[in-house]
């Protein structure tokens, strides 16, 4: 269903960039990219990663860089694992490295890792000397289908996730499906949650494919994963090209995220993975949508069942009371002038943005989600 | 030579924005802007300023905001005076204020001050929730003719000035020429240096006007200042519209800055004002240009004389040796893969970018600048 090497493009005019999906990307394709495709760049290259990913993949990447051009001056920094390190302090440390090694405007930042590394490296690239080139090499399924594509970069603030950041499109995204072989099963599941999101919000046929093939994804079937990644990235690339800075339809990609972010915040970003919180958030969005009559119980239950089959959580923490929910959801970046906005499925492969949700409706959905799940 | 209220535009397609120049801008025009012209914005407004400027102008701005809409939720923060506070620590403090008061994506950041406040406020606006609207109200001549227009935002790093930043265009620039009445004479001079720069790099007729009217500017003649500001902003707006992110000709605006930044760095950004360093940098650029045969001695001396008449320094610190110069200039953001680039006048109202300057030429220019000036 997919060729070994497929290339999508995010169509942003002069800032158009490729998403390469395939095997052995880390070596061959990285070299080809640097030698041929990347807009003019200098010799200074910084590879950002974390200890877990670096143990597997730093060496091949450094070797590829050496092979591409022996004159490259390559530095690398490792960011400790975990969302709590995606902050201004770590950001400042990385800037110190760039200053120390006199990186100039023609340098390249390579993000080799999951969402934390990608978001942080992207924000570094966005703001070093007012913006330098960034190559994303995502090593988790979630980063491959979501965070590495589209130019959202950020660090967290103690007051909220991703509050500080910038839109800065990468120069290229290299997705090597081989790296998923070393991905822990729980992180794979978190990525599948975002894959399901694309089916719910934008592609009814893909949703049906997922209903039939969810076990193959959980079993890390290479062909199924490649197809799911390609389909997900194609949807994301289309949405980003149409609305780069989220003035409108790009917000649909946040299906499940208003509820999900509240769960993550309530549990201090420790016990729930982002994808797990989004999975439960999608269940709650489906329930809210059904409550409002946008979708019927059959489709609602199909969404919930697919998420459950993916072994993802479908019930939020029972300990969260309504005041906690309202407080945390009101901090969401989608809030406009104090009004919360929800992305709700409106039918197979379709979703909309709604800002007139009442507290009574939210209370009903939260209660239903805790007790019925 | 100018109408009381003139409006220029920086033509950037959908991100086109106005530069309003005139009297009483702080009150009437700010209200009109917020009520009518600013793209949709919410109620949260942050005014950033410094103690010196705030003592004169914070109250009128806060009153104007109150008058514009009593439902605005206005916060203000004061940044201590001085370039040394334009850093990541101050930036982080301002982010804390935005988090604390739950500023959302529809908020507006107002920069009321000189270059330090404008650059920092601009970087906050560029990176708060991936970018919010910023209104620049520059209160120094230098900020009015240069830093408030064009979307360059930044903070300093101990290793270099403006190393961390982003391109983020303001939503509007309000230039109230009345505020210059309270500007110290030395700061006025620093602004005049950037005004002279526009004449040298882009407008021979304006250069001639400056030769005749430099004393009127030093005397704060309102009409002369308004004309100089309008002409300078018109040139800057045109250059920025043609090359927003400095891929090419925008670099010409850095005439005098490669030498100037080195002087600022060598003197720890304390004893020389930015404009003063740029003034001397332009003298050195003129000498280098003459040495290379791009311009003759008559025009070179005309540039030096105009700068001297503006009571600006024309000689760099004698204590800077060639190694210090080379070390500091090699850290400049215009460096490409280790090669320094110089903006040199190539004739009246014209300048070019040159990267093949030899160490021997630089040594000659530095020696000449110290001894002949």
């Amino acid at each position: 269903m997919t060729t070994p090497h497929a290339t999508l493009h995010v169509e942003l005019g002069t800032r158009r960039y490729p998403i390469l999906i395939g095997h052995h990307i880390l070596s061959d394709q990285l070299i080809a990219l640097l030698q041929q495709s990347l807009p003019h760049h200098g010799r200074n290259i910084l590879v950002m990663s974390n200890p877990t990913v670096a143990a597997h993949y730093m060496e091949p990447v450094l070797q590829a860089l050496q092979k591409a051009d022996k004159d490259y001056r390559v530095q690398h920094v490792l960011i400790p694992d975990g969302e709590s390190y995606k902050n201004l302090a770590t950001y400042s440390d990385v800037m110190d490295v760039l200053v120390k090694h006199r990186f100039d405007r023609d340098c390249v930042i390579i993000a080799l890792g999951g969402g934390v590394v990608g978001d942080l490296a992207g924000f570094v690239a966005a703001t070093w000397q007012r913006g330098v080139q960034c190559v994303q090499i995502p090593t988790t399924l979630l980063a491959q289908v979501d965070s590495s594509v589209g130019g959202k970069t950020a660090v967290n603030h103690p007051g909220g996730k991703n509050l500080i950041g910038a839109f800065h499109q990468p120069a290229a995204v290299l997705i090597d499906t081989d790296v998923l072989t070393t991905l822990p099963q729980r992180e794979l599941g978190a990525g599948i949650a975002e894959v399901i999101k694309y089916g719910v919000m934008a592609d009814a046929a893909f949703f049906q494919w997922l209903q039939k093939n969810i076990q193959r994804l959980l079993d890390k079937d290479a062909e199924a994963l490649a197809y799911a990644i390609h389909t997900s990235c194609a949807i994301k690339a289309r949405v980003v090209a149409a609305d780069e800075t989220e003035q409108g339809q790009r917000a649909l990609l946040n299906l499940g995220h208003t509820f999900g972010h509240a769960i993550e915040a309530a549990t201090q970003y420790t016990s729930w993975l982002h994808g797990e919180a989004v999975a439960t958030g999608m269940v709650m969005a489906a329930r809210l949508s059904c409550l409002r009559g946008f979708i019927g119980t059959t489709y609602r239950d199909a969404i919930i069942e697919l998420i459950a089959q993916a072994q993802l959580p479908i019930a939020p923490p029972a300990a969260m009371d309504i005041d906690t929910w309202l407080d945390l959801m009101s901090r969401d970046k989608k809030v406009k002038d104090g009004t919360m906005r929800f992305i709700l499925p409106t039918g197979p492969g379709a979703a909309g943005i709604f800002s007139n949700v009442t507290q009574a409706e939210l209370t009903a959905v939260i209660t239903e989600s805790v007790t019925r799940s």
Side-chain angles (χ1 to χ4, degrees), chain A:
Chain A
M1 292 187 124
T2 181
T3 56
H5 287 95
T7 304
L8 299 164
H9 283 92
V10 181
E11 300 293 350
L12 288 167
T14 57
R15 293 174 299 119
R16 176 182 198 258
Y17 62 91
I19 306 170
L20 279 72
I21 305 169
H23 306 289
H24 307 306
I25 291 268
L26 280 187
S27 46
D28 303 350
Q29 294 299 312
L30 177 58
I31 294 172
L33 177 85
L34 287 166
Q35 289 179 335
Q36 299 156 26
S37 314
L38 212 59
H40 175 73
H41 66 86
R43 290 176 300 146
N44 289 301
I45 297 176
L46 177 73
V47 185
M48 290 175 62
S49 191
N50 68 47
T52 308
V53 171
H56 293 293
Y57 305 112
M58 182 61 87
E59 206 47 43
V61 166
L62 294 180
Q63 278 171 10
L65 293 173
Q66 178 69 18
K67 200 168 163 187
D69 189 334
K70 66 176 175 44
D71 284 337
Y72 284 158
R73 295 171 55 208
V74 181
Q75 307 294 331
H76 61 275
V77 292
L78 300 186
I79 311 302
D81 282 307
E83 191 77 34
S84 63
Y85 293 96
K86 201 180 89 176
N87 58 28
L88 277 181
T90 309
Y91 166 80
S92 182
D93 290 345
V94 177
M95 287 299 183
D96 291 347
V97 173
L98 297 178
V99 170
K100 182 181 170 191
H101 295 285
R102 298 200 172 195
F103 271 51
D104 58 26
R105 280 187 184 160
D106 296 324
C107 72
V108 178
I109 310 288
I110 296 179
L112 177 68
V116 168
V117 166
D119 285 4
L120 182 60
F123 189 50
V124 166
T127 55
W128 173 246
Q129 301 213 6
R130 300 199 184 96
V132 298
Q133 293 185 89
C134 184
V135 173
Q136 292 280 349
I137 308 182
T139 59
T140 65
L141 179 60
L142 190 138
Q144 290 180 341
V145 299
D146 187 18
S147 56
S148 68
V149 176
K152 280 194 178 180
T153 76
V155 295
N156 302 326
H157 183 282
K161 210 175 154 185
N162 295 334
L163 286 181
I164 299 170
F167 286 100
H168 183 69
Q169 299 295 336
V173 182
L174 305 188
I175 300 177
D176 192 329
T177 52
D178 292 345
V179 303
L180 299 179
T181 55
T182 55
L183 188 70
Q185 198 66 23
R186 188 176 166 197
E187 296 220 28
L188 182 79
I192 291 174
E194 297 279 1
V195 170
I196 292 172
K197 179 192 77 178
Y198 291 109
V200 173
M201 64 160 274
D203 191 334
F206 185 46
F207 184 84
Q208 288 170 358
W209 182 90
L210 287 167
Q211 288 178 306
K212 294 195 192 80
N213 293 279
I214 195 76
Q215 192 56 47
R216 289 176 68 201
L217 294 181
L218 291 168
D219 294 342
K220 293 189 180 177
D221 176 299
E223 194 195 1
L225 280 172
Y227 178 73
I229 292 166
H230 190 276
T231 307
S232 298
C233 285
I235 294 170
K236 177 127 191 194
R238 195 182 71 220
V239 172
V240 168
D243 177 22
E244 182 182 3
T245 57
E246 198 164 311
Q247 305 303 305
Q249 68 161 286
R250 183 167 177 168
L252 297 177
L253 294 170
N254 289 317
L255 176 70
H257 284 58
T258 302
F259 291 112
H261 284 160
I263 294 172
E264 288 182 273
T267 54
Q268 285 77 47
Y269 302 96
T270 48
S271 45
W272 289 62
L273 294 178
H274 173 67
E276 293 169 341
V278 167
T280 300
M282 283 193 287
V283 170
M284 298 177 77
R287 289 192 190 283
L288 179 51
S289 179
C290 186
L291 189 73
R292 304 194 119 210
F294 300 151
I295 63 172
T297 54
T298 307
Y299 182 49
R300 175 197 69 187
D301 293 343
I303 294 172
I304 298 174
E305 190 182 336
L306 178 58
I307 291 168
Q309 282 176 342
Q311 296 166 29
L312 287 160
I314 57 171
M320 287 175 70
D321 61 24
I322 182 70
D323 288 338
T324 303
W325 278 105
L326 293 176
D327 177 54
L328 295 173
M329 291 193 296
S330 70
R331 294 170 187 259
D332 194 85
K333 284 198 297 306
K334 289 183 294 304
V335 165
K336 270 183 181 272
D337 250 344
T339 305
M340 284 181 273
R341 298 193 305 155
F342 292 85
I343 318 302
L344 303 179
T346 52
I353 305 171
F354 300 90
S355 55
N356 56 350
V357 176
T358 66
Q359 189 170 332
E361 289 175 307
L362 289 175
T363 305
V365 163
I366 291 162
T367 305
E368 185 177 297
S369 300
V370 172
T371 55
R372 296 273 174 90
S373 299

